[in-house]
Short mmCIF file of all heavy atoms in Angstrom, two decimals:
data_model
loop_
_atom_site.label_atom_id
_atom_site.label_comp_id
_atom_site.label_asym_id
_atom_site.label_seq_id
_atom_site.Cartn_x
_atom_site.Cartn_y
_atom_site.Cartn_z
N TRP A 14 -27.98 2.83 1.90
CA TRP A 14 -27.05 1.71 1.94
C TRP A 14 -26.29 1.56 0.63
O TRP A 14 -25.11 1.21 0.61
CB TRP A 14 -27.79 0.41 2.28
CG TRP A 14 -28.77 -0.03 1.22
CD1 TRP A 14 -30.08 0.28 1.14
CD2 TRP A 14 -28.49 -0.86 0.08
NE1 TRP A 14 -30.66 -0.29 0.02
CE2 TRP A 14 -29.69 -0.99 -0.64
CE3 TRP A 14 -27.35 -1.49 -0.40
CZ2 TRP A 14 -29.78 -1.73 -1.83
CZ3 TRP A 14 -27.43 -2.23 -1.58
CH2 TRP A 14 -28.64 -2.34 -2.27
N HIS A 15 -26.98 1.85 -0.52
CA HIS A 15 -26.32 1.71 -1.82
C HIS A 15 -25.22 2.75 -1.99
O HIS A 15 -24.21 2.50 -2.67
CB HIS A 15 -27.35 1.84 -2.95
CG HIS A 15 -28.07 3.15 -2.97
ND1 HIS A 15 -29.07 3.47 -2.06
CD2 HIS A 15 -27.94 4.23 -3.79
CE1 HIS A 15 -29.53 4.68 -2.32
NE2 HIS A 15 -28.85 5.17 -3.35
N VAL A 16 -25.39 3.92 -1.36
CA VAL A 16 -24.34 4.94 -1.42
C VAL A 16 -23.13 4.51 -0.61
O VAL A 16 -21.98 4.66 -1.04
CB VAL A 16 -24.87 6.30 -0.92
CG1 VAL A 16 -23.78 7.37 -1.00
CG2 VAL A 16 -26.09 6.74 -1.73
N PHE A 17 -23.38 3.95 0.57
CA PHE A 17 -22.29 3.42 1.40
C PHE A 17 -21.52 2.33 0.64
O PHE A 17 -20.27 2.35 0.62
CB PHE A 17 -22.84 2.83 2.70
CG PHE A 17 -23.24 3.85 3.73
CD1 PHE A 17 -24.57 3.96 4.14
CD2 PHE A 17 -22.30 4.69 4.30
CE1 PHE A 17 -24.94 4.88 5.10
CE2 PHE A 17 -22.67 5.62 5.27
CZ PHE A 17 -24.00 5.73 5.66
N LEU A 18 -22.25 1.42 0.05
CA LEU A 18 -21.60 0.30 -0.64
C LEU A 18 -20.84 0.78 -1.88
O LEU A 18 -19.76 0.26 -2.19
CB LEU A 18 -22.63 -0.76 -1.03
CG LEU A 18 -23.27 -1.52 0.12
CD1 LEU A 18 -24.23 -2.59 -0.40
CD2 LEU A 18 -22.21 -2.17 1.00
N ARG A 19 -21.40 1.78 -2.57
CA ARG A 19 -20.69 2.32 -3.73
C ARG A 19 -19.39 3.00 -3.29
O ARG A 19 -18.34 2.85 -3.93
CB ARG A 19 -21.57 3.31 -4.49
CG ARG A 19 -20.93 3.82 -5.78
CD ARG A 19 -21.92 4.55 -6.65
NE ARG A 19 -22.42 5.76 -6.01
CZ ARG A 19 -23.69 5.97 -5.66
NH1 ARG A 19 -24.60 5.03 -5.89
NH2 ARG A 19 -24.06 7.10 -5.09
N GLY A 20 -19.45 3.73 -2.18
CA GLY A 20 -18.24 4.35 -1.64
C GLY A 20 -17.23 3.31 -1.20
O GLY A 20 -16.02 3.47 -1.45
N LEU A 21 -17.70 2.23 -0.56
CA LEU A 21 -16.81 1.15 -0.13
C LEU A 21 -16.17 0.48 -1.35
O LEU A 21 -14.96 0.19 -1.33
CB LEU A 21 -17.58 0.13 0.69
CG LEU A 21 -16.79 -1.10 1.17
CD1 LEU A 21 -15.63 -0.68 2.07
CD2 LEU A 21 -17.71 -2.08 1.89
N GLY A 22 -16.96 0.26 -2.38
CA GLY A 22 -16.43 -0.36 -3.59
C GLY A 22 -15.34 0.49 -4.23
O GLY A 22 -14.31 -0.03 -4.68
N LEU A 23 -15.56 1.80 -4.27
CA LEU A 23 -14.56 2.69 -4.84
C LEU A 23 -13.29 2.73 -3.98
O LEU A 23 -12.17 2.78 -4.49
CB LEU A 23 -15.13 4.10 -5.00
CG LEU A 23 -14.22 5.14 -5.68
CD1 LEU A 23 -13.71 4.63 -7.02
CD2 LEU A 23 -14.96 6.46 -5.86
N THR A 24 -13.48 2.67 -2.66
CA THR A 24 -12.33 2.62 -1.75
C THR A 24 -11.49 1.37 -2.00
O THR A 24 -10.26 1.44 -2.06
CB THR A 24 -12.81 2.65 -0.29
OG1 THR A 24 -13.44 3.90 -0.02
CG2 THR A 24 -11.65 2.47 0.68
N ILE A 25 -12.15 0.23 -2.15
CA ILE A 25 -11.43 -1.02 -2.42
C ILE A 25 -10.74 -0.94 -3.78
O ILE A 25 -9.58 -1.38 -3.92
CB ILE A 25 -12.40 -2.21 -2.36
CG1 ILE A 25 -12.92 -2.40 -0.93
CG2 ILE A 25 -11.73 -3.48 -2.86
CD1 ILE A 25 -14.01 -3.45 -0.80
N PHE A 26 -11.42 -0.37 -4.76
CA PHE A 26 -10.82 -0.22 -6.09
C PHE A 26 -9.55 0.64 -6.03
O PHE A 26 -8.50 0.26 -6.58
CB PHE A 26 -11.84 0.42 -7.04
CG PHE A 26 -11.26 0.82 -8.37
CD1 PHE A 26 -11.03 -0.12 -9.36
CD2 PHE A 26 -10.94 2.15 -8.64
CE1 PHE A 26 -10.49 0.24 -10.59
CE2 PHE A 26 -10.41 2.53 -9.86
CZ PHE A 26 -10.17 1.57 -10.84
N LEU A 27 -9.63 1.78 -5.35
CA LEU A 27 -8.46 2.64 -5.21
C LEU A 27 -7.31 1.92 -4.50
O LEU A 27 -6.15 2.05 -4.89
CB LEU A 27 -8.82 3.90 -4.42
CG LEU A 27 -9.75 4.92 -5.09
CD1 LEU A 27 -10.13 6.02 -4.10
CD2 LEU A 27 -9.08 5.53 -6.32
N THR A 28 -7.66 1.13 -3.48
CA THR A 28 -6.64 0.41 -2.71
C THR A 28 -5.92 -0.62 -3.57
O THR A 28 -4.69 -0.68 -3.59
CB THR A 28 -7.29 -0.28 -1.50
OG1 THR A 28 -7.95 0.69 -0.69
CG2 THR A 28 -6.24 -1.00 -0.67
N VAL A 29 -6.70 -1.43 -4.28
CA VAL A 29 -6.11 -2.51 -5.08
C VAL A 29 -5.25 -1.95 -6.21
O VAL A 29 -4.10 -2.37 -6.42
CB VAL A 29 -7.21 -3.43 -5.63
CG1 VAL A 29 -6.63 -4.44 -6.61
CG2 VAL A 29 -7.92 -4.15 -4.50
N VAL A 30 -5.80 -1.00 -6.97
CA VAL A 30 -5.06 -0.44 -8.10
C VAL A 30 -3.80 0.27 -7.63
O VAL A 30 -2.71 0.10 -8.21
CB VAL A 30 -5.95 0.54 -8.90
CG1 VAL A 30 -5.14 1.27 -9.97
CG2 VAL A 30 -7.11 -0.21 -9.55
N THR A 31 -3.92 1.05 -6.57
CA THR A 31 -2.75 1.78 -6.06
C THR A 31 -1.69 0.81 -5.55
O THR A 31 -0.49 1.02 -5.81
CB THR A 31 -3.17 2.72 -4.92
OG1 THR A 31 -4.07 3.71 -5.42
CG2 THR A 31 -1.96 3.41 -4.31
N MET A 32 -2.09 -0.24 -4.85
CA MET A 32 -1.10 -1.18 -4.31
C MET A 32 -0.35 -1.87 -5.43
O MET A 32 0.88 -2.06 -5.34
CB MET A 32 -1.80 -2.22 -3.42
CG MET A 32 -0.85 -3.04 -2.57
SD MET A 32 -0.02 -1.99 -1.34
CE MET A 32 1.09 -3.18 -0.57
N ILE A 33 -1.04 -2.25 -6.48
CA ILE A 33 -0.38 -2.92 -7.62
C ILE A 33 0.62 -1.96 -8.28
O ILE A 33 1.79 -2.32 -8.50
CB ILE A 33 -1.42 -3.39 -8.64
CG1 ILE A 33 -2.26 -4.53 -8.06
CG2 ILE A 33 -0.73 -3.86 -9.93
CD1 ILE A 33 -3.44 -4.94 -8.93
N LEU A 34 0.17 -0.75 -8.57
CA LEU A 34 1.04 0.22 -9.24
C LEU A 34 2.21 0.63 -8.35
O LEU A 34 3.35 0.76 -8.82
CB LEU A 34 0.24 1.45 -9.65
CG LEU A 34 -0.85 1.23 -10.70
CD1 LEU A 34 -1.62 2.52 -10.96
CD2 LEU A 34 -0.24 0.71 -12.00
N ALA A 35 1.94 0.84 -7.06
CA ALA A 35 3.01 1.24 -6.14
C ALA A 35 4.06 0.15 -6.00
O ALA A 35 5.26 0.43 -5.93
CB ALA A 35 2.42 1.59 -4.77
N THR A 36 3.63 -1.12 -5.98
CA THR A 36 4.58 -2.23 -5.90
C THR A 36 5.44 -2.31 -7.14
O THR A 36 6.66 -2.50 -7.07
CB THR A 36 3.83 -3.55 -5.67
OG1 THR A 36 3.06 -3.47 -4.47
CG2 THR A 36 4.80 -4.72 -5.57
N LEU A 37 4.80 -2.15 -8.31
CA LEU A 37 5.54 -2.20 -9.58
C LEU A 37 6.56 -1.07 -9.66
O LEU A 37 7.63 -1.24 -10.26
CB LEU A 37 4.56 -2.12 -10.76
CG LEU A 37 3.64 -3.33 -10.95
CD1 LEU A 37 2.67 -3.08 -12.09
CD2 LEU A 37 4.46 -4.59 -11.21
N LEU A 38 6.25 0.08 -9.10
CA LEU A 38 7.18 1.20 -9.10
C LEU A 38 8.23 1.07 -8.00
O LEU A 38 9.38 1.50 -8.15
CB LEU A 38 6.41 2.52 -8.93
CG LEU A 38 7.22 3.82 -8.95
CD1 LEU A 38 8.01 3.95 -10.25
CD2 LEU A 38 6.29 5.02 -8.77
N ALA A 39 7.85 0.46 -6.88
CA ALA A 39 8.75 0.36 -5.73
C ALA A 39 9.95 -0.53 -6.01
O ALA A 39 11.06 -0.25 -5.53
CB ALA A 39 7.98 -0.16 -4.52
N ILE A 40 9.76 -1.61 -6.76
CA ILE A 40 10.87 -2.54 -7.01
C ILE A 40 12.01 -1.88 -7.79
O ILE A 40 13.17 -1.93 -7.37
CB ILE A 40 10.36 -3.82 -7.70
CG1 ILE A 40 9.43 -4.58 -6.76
CG2 ILE A 40 11.53 -4.70 -8.13
CD1 ILE A 40 8.73 -5.77 -7.40
N PRO A 41 11.74 -1.22 -8.95
CA PRO A 41 12.85 -0.52 -9.62
C PRO A 41 13.42 0.62 -8.78
O PRO A 41 14.62 0.92 -8.88
CB PRO A 41 12.22 0.00 -10.92
CG PRO A 41 10.75 -0.09 -10.73
CD PRO A 41 10.51 -1.20 -9.77
N LEU A 42 12.58 1.28 -7.96
CA LEU A 42 13.10 2.31 -7.07
C LEU A 42 14.09 1.73 -6.07
O LEU A 42 15.16 2.31 -5.81
CB LEU A 42 11.95 2.98 -6.31
CG LEU A 42 11.30 4.20 -6.94
CD1 LEU A 42 10.10 4.64 -6.10
CD2 LEU A 42 12.28 5.34 -7.09
N ALA A 43 13.74 0.57 -5.51
CA ALA A 43 14.65 -0.08 -4.57
C ALA A 43 15.94 -0.49 -5.25
O ALA A 43 17.04 -0.32 -4.68
CB ALA A 43 13.96 -1.32 -3.97
N MET A 44 15.84 -1.00 -6.47
CA MET A 44 17.03 -1.39 -7.22
C MET A 44 17.90 -0.17 -7.52
O MET A 44 19.13 -0.23 -7.43
CB MET A 44 16.63 -2.09 -8.51
CG MET A 44 15.93 -3.42 -8.31
SD MET A 44 15.29 -4.11 -9.85
CE MET A 44 16.80 -4.32 -10.79
N ALA A 45 17.24 0.96 -7.84
CA ALA A 45 17.99 2.19 -8.13
C ALA A 45 18.72 2.69 -6.89
O ALA A 45 19.87 3.14 -6.97
CB ALA A 45 17.05 3.26 -8.66
N ARG A 46 18.08 2.58 -5.73
CA ARG A 46 18.72 3.04 -4.49
C ARG A 46 19.87 2.14 -4.08
O ARG A 46 20.76 2.56 -3.34
CB ARG A 46 17.69 3.13 -3.37
CG ARG A 46 16.58 4.12 -3.63
CD ARG A 46 15.89 4.53 -2.35
NE ARG A 46 16.72 5.46 -1.58
CZ ARG A 46 16.42 5.86 -0.34
NH1 ARG A 46 15.35 5.39 0.26
NH2 ARG A 46 17.20 6.70 0.29
N LEU A 47 19.87 0.90 -4.55
CA LEU A 47 20.96 -0.02 -4.25
C LEU A 47 22.04 0.00 -5.33
O LEU A 47 23.08 -0.65 -5.17
CB LEU A 47 20.41 -1.45 -4.12
CG LEU A 47 19.52 -1.73 -2.91
CD1 LEU A 47 18.85 -3.09 -3.02
CD2 LEU A 47 20.33 -1.64 -1.61
N SER A 48 21.79 0.74 -6.39
CA SER A 48 22.72 0.77 -7.51
C SER A 48 24.03 1.45 -7.12
O SER A 48 24.06 2.37 -6.30
CB SER A 48 22.08 1.52 -8.69
OG SER A 48 23.02 1.70 -9.73
N MET A 49 25.11 1.00 -7.74
CA MET A 49 26.42 1.63 -7.53
C MET A 49 26.55 2.91 -8.34
O MET A 49 27.44 3.71 -8.09
CB MET A 49 27.53 0.65 -7.93
CG MET A 49 27.54 -0.64 -7.12
SD MET A 49 27.85 -0.34 -5.35
CE MET A 49 29.55 0.22 -5.42
N SER A 50 25.65 3.10 -9.30
CA SER A 50 25.71 4.27 -10.16
C SER A 50 24.95 5.44 -9.55
O SER A 50 23.78 5.31 -9.20
CB SER A 50 25.12 3.94 -11.55
OG SER A 50 25.00 5.10 -12.33
N ARG A 51 25.60 6.59 -9.45
CA ARG A 51 24.95 7.77 -8.92
C ARG A 51 23.83 8.24 -9.84
O ARG A 51 22.88 8.88 -9.39
CB ARG A 51 25.96 8.90 -8.74
CG ARG A 51 27.02 8.63 -7.67
CD ARG A 51 27.95 9.81 -7.53
NE ARG A 51 28.96 9.57 -6.49
CZ ARG A 51 29.90 10.45 -6.16
NH1 ARG A 51 29.96 11.62 -6.80
NH2 ARG A 51 30.76 10.16 -5.21
N LEU A 52 23.95 7.95 -11.12
CA LEU A 52 22.95 8.36 -12.10
C LEU A 52 21.58 7.77 -11.75
O LEU A 52 20.55 8.42 -11.99
CB LEU A 52 23.37 7.92 -13.50
CG LEU A 52 22.45 8.30 -14.66
CD1 LEU A 52 22.38 9.82 -14.81
CD2 LEU A 52 22.92 7.66 -15.96
N PHE A 53 21.56 6.59 -11.20
CA PHE A 53 20.32 5.94 -10.78
C PHE A 53 20.01 6.21 -9.31
O PHE A 53 18.86 6.43 -8.93
CB PHE A 53 20.38 4.43 -11.02
CG PHE A 53 20.46 4.05 -12.46
CD1 PHE A 53 21.64 3.57 -12.99
CD2 PHE A 53 19.37 4.17 -13.30
CE1 PHE A 53 21.73 3.21 -14.33
CE2 PHE A 53 19.44 3.83 -14.63
CZ PHE A 53 20.63 3.35 -15.16
N ARG A 54 21.05 6.18 -8.48
CA ARG A 54 20.85 6.24 -7.03
C ARG A 54 20.36 7.60 -6.56
O ARG A 54 19.42 7.69 -5.76
CB ARG A 54 22.15 5.86 -6.31
CG ARG A 54 21.97 5.65 -4.81
CD ARG A 54 23.22 5.11 -4.16
NE ARG A 54 24.31 6.07 -4.17
CZ ARG A 54 25.40 5.96 -4.93
NH1 ARG A 54 25.54 4.91 -5.74
NH2 ARG A 54 26.36 6.87 -4.87
N TRP A 55 20.96 8.67 -7.02
CA TRP A 55 20.61 10.00 -6.52
C TRP A 55 19.17 10.41 -6.84
O TRP A 55 18.46 10.87 -5.95
CB TRP A 55 21.61 11.03 -7.04
CG TRP A 55 22.92 11.01 -6.30
CD1 TRP A 55 23.39 9.99 -5.48
CD2 TRP A 55 23.92 12.03 -6.28
NE1 TRP A 55 24.63 10.31 -4.99
CE2 TRP A 55 24.98 11.56 -5.45
CE3 TRP A 55 24.04 13.27 -6.89
CZ2 TRP A 55 26.13 12.30 -5.23
CZ3 TRP A 55 25.20 14.01 -6.66
CH2 TRP A 55 26.23 13.54 -5.83
N PRO A 56 18.72 10.29 -8.11
CA PRO A 56 17.32 10.66 -8.37
C PRO A 56 16.34 9.84 -7.55
O PRO A 56 15.32 10.36 -7.07
CB PRO A 56 17.16 10.39 -9.87
CG PRO A 56 18.54 10.46 -10.43
CD PRO A 56 19.42 9.92 -9.35
N ALA A 57 16.64 8.54 -7.39
CA ALA A 57 15.75 7.69 -6.59
C ALA A 57 15.74 8.12 -5.14
O ALA A 57 14.69 8.17 -4.49
CB ALA A 57 16.19 6.23 -6.71
N ASN A 58 16.92 8.48 -4.61
CA ASN A 58 17.00 8.95 -3.23
C ASN A 58 16.21 10.24 -3.03
O ASN A 58 15.47 10.40 -2.05
CB ASN A 58 18.46 9.19 -2.84
CG ASN A 58 19.22 7.90 -2.61
OD1 ASN A 58 18.63 6.85 -2.39
ND2 ASN A 58 20.54 7.97 -2.67
N VAL A 59 16.35 11.17 -3.98
CA VAL A 59 15.64 12.45 -3.88
C VAL A 59 14.13 12.22 -3.92
O VAL A 59 13.38 12.79 -3.11
CB VAL A 59 16.07 13.39 -5.03
CG1 VAL A 59 15.16 14.62 -5.07
CG2 VAL A 59 17.52 13.83 -4.84
N PHE A 60 13.68 11.37 -4.83
CA PHE A 60 12.24 11.10 -4.94
C PHE A 60 11.69 10.48 -3.66
O PHE A 60 10.66 10.94 -3.13
CB PHE A 60 11.98 10.17 -6.12
CG PHE A 60 10.56 9.68 -6.21
CD1 PHE A 60 9.56 10.47 -6.74
CD2 PHE A 60 10.21 8.42 -5.72
CE1 PHE A 60 8.25 10.03 -6.80
CE2 PHE A 60 8.90 7.97 -5.78
CZ PHE A 60 7.92 8.78 -6.32
N VAL A 61 12.35 9.45 -3.17
CA VAL A 61 11.87 8.74 -1.98
C VAL A 61 11.84 9.66 -0.77
O VAL A 61 10.85 9.72 -0.03
CB VAL A 61 12.73 7.49 -1.71
CG1 VAL A 61 12.38 6.89 -0.34
CG2 VAL A 61 12.51 6.46 -2.80
N GLU A 62 12.92 10.40 -0.56
CA GLU A 62 12.99 11.27 0.60
C GLU A 62 11.97 12.40 0.52
O GLU A 62 11.37 12.79 1.54
CB GLU A 62 14.41 11.84 0.77
CG GLU A 62 15.47 10.80 1.05
CD GLU A 62 15.15 9.96 2.29
OE1 GLU A 62 14.53 10.48 3.23
OE2 GLU A 62 15.54 8.78 2.31
N PHE A 63 11.75 12.93 -0.68
CA PHE A 63 10.76 14.00 -0.84
C PHE A 63 9.36 13.50 -0.56
O PHE A 63 8.58 14.15 0.16
CB PHE A 63 10.83 14.59 -2.25
CG PHE A 63 9.81 15.67 -2.50
CD1 PHE A 63 10.05 16.97 -2.07
CD2 PHE A 63 8.60 15.39 -3.13
CE1 PHE A 63 9.10 17.97 -2.29
CE2 PHE A 63 7.65 16.37 -3.34
CZ PHE A 63 7.91 17.67 -2.92
N MET A 64 9.00 12.34 -1.11
CA MET A 64 7.66 11.81 -0.93
C MET A 64 7.41 11.43 0.54
O MET A 64 6.30 11.57 1.05
CB MET A 64 7.43 10.58 -1.82
CG MET A 64 7.54 10.85 -3.30
SD MET A 64 6.49 12.21 -3.89
CE MET A 64 4.86 11.50 -3.66
#
Side-chain angles (χ1 to χ4, degrees):
W14 66 269
H15 60 286
V16 180
F17 284 116
L18 292 183
R19 186 168 63 243
L21 178 61
L23 184 53
T24 295
I25 294 173
F26 171 78
L27 291 174
T28 302
V29 172
V30 173
T31 297
M32 193 66 183
I33 292 172
L34 295 177
T36 301
L37 292 176
L38 182 57
I40 294 173
L42 270 175
M44 294 173 62
R46 298 200 75 188
L47 292 170
S48 173
M49 299 297 292
S50 172
R51 294 182 179 180
L52 182 64
F53 294 107
R54 190 173 67 251
W55 283 16
N58 286 340
V59 170
F60 172 80
V61 170
E62 296 304 328
F63 178 81
M64 298 307 293

